[in-house]
Amino acid sequence: MKFKFLTAVVVAIIFASCSSTKTIKFSDKPNDVYTTDNLKEFLDKNKSPKVVLRVPNAAVTTTDQENVDYLYNSIENQLLSSGFVVRDRQLFNQIIGNDNNSIDYEKIKEKSDTDLIIELTKLDPSILYETNTYYDKKDREKTEKEGTHERYGASVEFKVVSIANNEYAGMYKFNYTPCTEGCVISKSFKDIRKELKELKKQEEEPYEGVEQDVLEDFIKDATKKLVSEMRS
């Protein structure tokens, strides 16, 4: 950790010697969504559908073993605030068992009183965005002579299953692209000293991915978009 801190100090000195402001920007990566007509018709008639969130073990890609239950809770809370009736996912998993090949959706509907399964099929919080261009203080695009600038983005994918019809009712992928409004990469010495002070307090290795608060906001926004796309 001491080596990382000393490295950061050297980098800070280099940045502090730069008098010009540099900003990097990335273009929004488009979302990929599809909703069946059957799902649209069902949600048009049922304003408060009964849903359950499913999260397969291999759905979440992380660089460590951090607890991600707060993200699942954020999804469920957003579904609740959107008028959905959310079933307990642990209880639902007990009902369907472990063998997905033998799922009887008619029996599942009877036992769980659930209309839709919203499955989080993939969550990747460490998608690397990279560029060798930047914008100066006059918003002119320029190219770095050496090296590139990196930031982490994220993506989440959902699959919706209609239990009554035993069909895939929708597929959705939402992306978080960093620095779409611009991220300043050349900072004042005051800001650099503040960041170094915070870095010195850290005892753990930095997490290579989107920060927790940013990831949580992204998940909430993605769930809002999911509901909107399902109902549109």
Side-chain angles (χ1 to χ4, degrees):
M1 189 64 192
K2 183 180 292 186
F3 174 75
K4 288 181 176 293
F5 176 70
L6 291 175
T7 302
V9 172
V10 173
V11 173
I13 293 174
I14 294 173
F15 272 108
S17 65
C18 300
S19 59
S20 61
T21 298
K22 294 181 180 180
T23 302
I24 58 172
K25 297 179 183 178
F26 294 104
S27 299
D28 254 325
K29 183 180 289 187
N31 300 318
D32 187 10
V33 300
Y34 172 73
T35 306
T36 64
D37 290 336
N38 285 340
L39 179 57
K40 293 178 182 179
E41 292 175 7
F42 174 79
L43 292 177
D44 187 52
K45 296 176 182 178
N46 299 271
K47 302 303 181 183
S48 298
K50 301 165 186 175
V51 304
V52 66
L53 174 68
R54 287 201 68 208
V55 186
N57 292 332
V60 182
T61 303
T62 59
T63 56
D64 59 17
Q65 299 300 316
E66 71 173 83
N67 189 314
V68 291
D69 281 344
Y70 74 97
L71 295 176
Y72 309 151
N73 293 334
S74 293
I75 295 172
E76 290 175 330
N77 289 338
Q78 190 57 55
L79 291 172
L80 281 169
S81 65
S82 299
F84 287 21
V85 177
V86 180
R87 298 306 192 199
D88 184 279
R89 53 188 144 96
Q90 293 183 343
L91 183 60
F92 185 86
N93 287 336
Q94 291 177 5
I95 293 174
I96 67 171
N98 297 320
D99 188 358
N100 291 335
N101 294 323
S102 62
I103 290 178
D104 186 327
Y105 284 98
E106 186 175 347
K107 291 182 179 179
I108 289 176
K109 185 169 178 59
E110 291 177 3
K111 292 181 179 181
S112 66
D113 189 23
T114 303
D115 300 311
L116 303 171
I117 299 174
I118 298 178
E119 184 172 314
L120 193 162
T121 55
K122 186 176 181 181
L123 171 61
D124 189 347
S126 53
I127 298 176
L128 190 63
Y129 287 73
E130 189 174 14
T131 182
N132 66 341
T133 64
Y134 67 91
Y135 295 84
D136 63 16
K137 61 183 179 180
K138 294 184 178 180
D139 204 33
R140 295 175 298 193
E141 186 176 13
K142 296 189 175 182
T143 303
E144 289 287 9
K145 294 180 180 179
E146 295 182 5
T148 60
H149 301 288
E150 300 175 349
R151 289 291 188 277
Y152 283 104
S155 70
V156 62
E157 298 179 30
F158 295 98
K159 176 177 70 179
V160 178
V161 177
S162 173
I163 297 180
N165 298 330
N166 188 15
E167 68 174 11
Y168 288 154
M171 305 288 287
Y172 310 87
K173 180 178 181 179
F174 301 104
N175 299 294
Y176 163 67
T177 306
C179 304
T180 55
E181 301 297 324
C183 292
V184 176
I185 57 175
S186 178
K187 303 178 180 180
S188 68
F189 185 64
K190 180 180 178 181
D191 289 337
I192 293 173
R193 283 199 307 174
K194 182 178 179 181
E195 290 183 3
L196 290 177
K197 187 176 180 180
E198 293 299 320
L199 180 63
K200 190 175 181 180
K201 294 179 181 178
Q202 294 179 4
E203 296 181 356
E204 300 179 356
E205 291 294 316
Y207 169 66
E208 294 183 354
V210 175
E211 296 295 331
Q212 179 174 315
D213 57 340
V214 176
L215 184 59
E216 186 171 9
D217 286 342
F218 163 60
I219 288 297
K220 289 178 181 177
D221 183 62
T223 308
K224 288 181 183 178
K225 291 178 180 176
L226 170 66
V227 173
S228 177
E229 291 291 343
M230 289 169 62
R231 286 176 166 166
S232 63

